[in-house]
Protein backbone atom coordinates (compact mmCIF):
# COMPACT_ATOMS: atom_id res chain seq x y z
CA UNK A 1 0.00 0.00 0.00
CA UNK A 2 2.97 2.32 0.54
CA UNK A 3 3.76 2.14 -3.20
CA UNK A 4 0.22 3.36 -3.94
CA UNK A 5 0.60 6.27 -1.51
CA UNK A 6 3.99 7.21 -2.97
CA UNK A 7 2.66 7.05 -6.56
CA UNK A 8 -0.37 9.17 -5.61
CA UNK A 9 1.77 11.79 -3.86
CA UNK A 10 4.32 11.95 -6.69
CA UNK A 11 1.48 12.52 -9.16
CA UNK A 12 -0.25 15.19 -7.12
CA UNK A 13 2.98 17.04 -6.30
CA UNK A 14 4.01 17.05 -9.98
CA UNK A 15 0.62 18.46 -10.99
CA UNK A 16 0.84 21.11 -8.29
CA UNK A 17 4.34 22.09 -9.45
CA UNK A 18 3.34 22.57 -13.09
CA UNK A 19 0.06 24.29 -12.19
CA UNK A 20 1.31 26.80 -9.63
CA UNK A 21 5.09 27.45 -9.45
CA UNK A 22 5.61 26.78 -13.19
CA UNK A 23 2.29 28.48 -14.15
CA UNK A 24 1.97 26.08 -17.07
CA UNK A 25 -1.73 26.84 -17.60
CA UNK A 26 -0.96 30.44 -18.57
CA UNK A 27 2.38 29.68 -20.26
CA UNK A 28 0.86 26.71 -22.17
CA UNK A 29 4.24 25.21 -23.18
CA UNK A 30 7.69 24.99 -21.61
CA UNK A 31 10.21 23.43 -23.98
CA UNK A 32 12.74 21.45 -21.95
CA UNK A 33 14.69 19.60 -24.64
CA UNK A 34 14.08 19.26 -28.40
CA UNK A 35 11.83 16.20 -27.99
CA UNK A 36 10.22 16.77 -24.58
CA UNK A 37 8.06 19.64 -23.35
CA UNK A 38 5.68 20.49 -20.60
CA UNK A 39 2.39 21.31 -22.34
CA UNK A 40 -0.84 22.14 -20.51
CA UNK A 41 -3.76 19.87 -21.36
CA UNK A 42 -7.06 19.29 -19.61
CA UNK A 43 -8.24 15.73 -20.20
CA UNK A 44 -11.99 15.31 -19.78
CA UNK A 45 -11.87 11.67 -20.82
CA UNK A 46 -9.88 8.62 -19.86
CA UNK A 47 -6.76 7.23 -21.51
CA UNK A 48 -6.04 8.97 -24.83
CA UNK A 49 -9.07 11.20 -24.10
CA UNK A 50 -11.57 8.41 -24.79
CA UNK A 51 -14.98 8.51 -23.05
CA UNK A 52 -15.15 12.30 -22.93
CA UNK A 53 -17.10 13.51 -19.88
CA UNK A 54 -18.70 16.62 -21.35
CA UNK A 55 -21.39 17.08 -18.68
CA UNK A 56 -21.57 16.89 -14.89
CA UNK A 57 -23.44 13.58 -15.15
CA UNK A 58 -20.76 12.12 -17.42
CA UNK A 59 -18.01 13.46 -15.16
CA UNK A 60 -19.43 11.83 -12.05
CA UNK A 61 -20.23 8.62 -13.92
CA UNK A 62 -16.58 8.50 -15.00
CA UNK A 63 -15.48 9.15 -11.39
CA UNK A 64 -17.74 6.31 -10.23
CA UNK A 65 -16.58 3.94 -12.98
CA UNK A 66 -12.88 4.56 -12.34
CA UNK A 67 -13.43 4.39 -8.57
CA UNK A 68 -14.96 0.93 -8.91
CA UNK A 69 -11.94 -0.18 -10.93
CA UNK A 70 -9.57 1.36 -8.36
CA UNK A 71 -11.53 -0.42 -5.61
CA UNK A 72 -11.02 -3.72 -7.42
CA UNK A 73 -7.30 -3.04 -7.72
CA UNK A 74 -7.17 -2.15 -3.98
CA UNK A 75 -8.86 -5.43 -3.06
CA UNK A 76 -6.48 -7.34 -5.34
CA UNK A 77 -3.56 -5.50 -3.72
CA UNK A 78 -4.74 -6.34 -0.19
CA UNK A 79 -5.23 -10.02 -1.11
CA UNK A 80 -1.89 -10.23 -2.93
CA UNK A 81 1.08 -11.87 -1.22
CA UNK A 82 3.68 -11.50 -3.97
CA UNK A 83 5.88 -8.41 -3.48
CA UNK A 84 6.49 -7.80 -7.19
CA UNK A 85 2.79 -7.92 -8.01
CA UNK A 86 2.23 -5.68 -4.98
CA UNK A 87 4.50 -3.04 -6.53
CA UNK A 88 2.65 -3.25 -9.86
CA UNK A 89 -0.76 -3.06 -8.21
CA UNK A 90 0.38 -0.21 -5.95
CA UNK A 91 1.57 1.81 -8.95
CA UNK A 92 -1.74 1.23 -10.75
CA UNK A 93 -3.80 2.13 -7.67
CA UNK A 94 -1.79 5.26 -6.87
CA UNK A 95 -1.98 6.47 -10.46
CA UNK A 96 -5.70 5.79 -10.68
CA UNK A 97 -6.35 7.64 -7.42
CA UNK A 98 -4.30 10.61 -8.65
CA UNK A 99 -6.43 10.95 -11.77
CA UNK A 100 -9.65 10.37 -9.79
CA UNK A 101 -8.62 13.15 -7.38
CA UNK A 102 -8.13 15.55 -10.30
CA UNK A 103 -11.43 14.68 -11.90
CA UNK A 104 -13.25 15.04 -8.57
CA UNK A 105 -11.57 18.32 -7.60
CA UNK A 106 -11.19 20.00 -11.00
CA UNK A 107 -13.60 18.26 -13.37
CA UNK A 108 -10.69 17.15 -15.58
CA UNK A 109 -7.31 15.47 -15.32
CA UNK A 110 -4.21 17.65 -15.59
CA UNK A 111 -1.90 16.32 -18.33
CA UNK A 112 1.41 17.99 -19.06
CA UNK A 113 4.14 15.58 -20.26
CA UNK A 114 4.65 15.89 -24.01
CA UNK A 115 7.07 13.56 -25.79
CA UNK A 116 7.44 14.57 -29.44
CA UNK A 117 9.78 14.18 -32.36
CA UNK A 118 9.12 17.13 -34.59
CA UNK A 119 5.39 17.05 -35.18
CA UNK A 120 5.08 13.34 -34.38
CA UNK A 121 3.79 12.44 -30.93
CA UNK A 122 3.97 8.72 -30.13
CA UNK A 123 1.69 9.33 -27.12
CA UNK A 124 -1.02 11.75 -26.17
CA UNK A 125 0.02 14.33 -23.60
CA UNK A 126 0.12 12.47 -20.28
CA UNK A 127 0.94 12.84 -16.59
CA UNK A 128 2.80 11.04 -13.80
CA UNK A 129 -0.32 9.05 -12.85
CA UNK A 130 -0.52 7.69 -16.39
CA UNK A 131 3.16 6.69 -16.15
CA UNK A 132 2.53 4.92 -12.85
CA UNK A 133 -0.43 3.01 -14.30
CA UNK A 134 1.54 2.00 -17.40
CA UNK A 135 4.60 0.91 -15.42
CA UNK A 136 2.36 -1.01 -13.01
CA UNK A 137 0.73 -2.90 -15.88
CA UNK A 138 4.16 -3.72 -17.34
CA UNK A 139 5.33 -5.00 -13.92
CA UNK A 140 2.25 -7.26 -13.68
CA UNK A 141 2.70 -8.56 -17.23
CA UNK A 142 6.40 -9.30 -16.71
CA UNK A 143 5.70 -10.96 -13.37
CA UNK A 144 3.01 -13.11 -14.94
CA UNK A 145 5.30 -14.06 -17.82
CA UNK A 146 8.16 -14.92 -15.44
CA UNK A 147 5.82 -16.99 -13.29
CA UNK A 148 4.57 -18.96 -16.31
CA UNK A 149 8.15 -19.52 -17.50
CA UNK A 150 9.16 -20.77 -14.05
CA UNK A 151 6.11 -23.02 -13.86
CA UNK A 152 6.67 -24.48 -17.35
CA UNK A 153 10.33 -25.25 -16.55
CA UNK A 154 9.44 -26.99 -13.29
CA UNK A 155 6.57 -28.97 -14.85
CA UNK A 156 7.65 -29.99 -18.38
CA UNK A 157 5.09 -31.62 -20.62
CA UNK A 158 5.42 -35.41 -20.95
CA UNK A 159 6.64 -36.74 -24.31
Amino acid sequence: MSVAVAAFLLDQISKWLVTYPAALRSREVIDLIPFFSLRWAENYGVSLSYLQADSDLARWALVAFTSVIAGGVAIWLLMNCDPINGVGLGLILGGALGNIADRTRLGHVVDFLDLHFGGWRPFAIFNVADCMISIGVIVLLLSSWASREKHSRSNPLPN
Side-chain angles (χ1 to χ4, degrees):
M1 198 58 80
S2 59
V3 172
V5 171
F8 173 79
L9 290 174
L10 186 60
D11 172 66
Q12 292 297 291
I13 290 167
S14 69
K15 290 172 180 171
W16 178 83
L17 287 170
V18 299
T19 302
Y20 298 105
L24 188 60
R25 174 181 266 160
S26 61
R27 295 172 73 178
E28 294 181 7
V29 178
I30 300 172
D31 292 317
L32 299 176
I33 53 179
F35 57 88
F36 188 77
S37 304
L38 301 178
R39 181 178 304 274
W40 183 263
E42 297 175 358
N43 183 353
Y44 291 88
V46 291
S47 181
L48 302 173
S49 298
Y50 291 121
L51 296 176
Q52 288 291 307
D54 50 6
S55 69
D56 277 344
L57 177 62
R59 168 190 173 192
W60 292 109
L62 196 51
V63 167
F65 175 69
T66 54
S67 295
V68 167
I69 293 170
V73 171
I75 291 168
W76 187 8
L77 176 60
L78 293 172
M79 294 174 51
N80 177 60
C81 60
D82 179 76
I84 294 176
N85 286 341
V87 168
L89 292 167
L91 290 171
I92 293 168
L93 180 59
L97 292 175
N99 283 342
I100 291 168
D102 280 10
R103 192 171 313 286
T104 300
R105 193 176 68 253
L106 306 170
H108 62 270
V109 173
V110 173
D111 286 338
F112 58 92
L113 300 171
D114 183 20
L115 178 66
H116 54 86
F117 303 95
W120 180 63
R121 288 180 165 74
F123 309 105
I125 299 170
F126 55 101
N127 60 41
V128 172
D130 299 334
C131 294
M132 296 295 131
I133 293 167
S134 298
I135 293 167
V137 168
I138 290 167
V139 167
L140 290 178
L141 290 172
L142 289 174
S143 174
S144 175
W145 177 77
S147 175
R148 286 180 189 226
E149 286 293 313
K150 181 179 175 183
H151 180 71
S152 67
R153 278 189 300 243
S154 64
N155 296 318
L157 294 174
N159 291 333

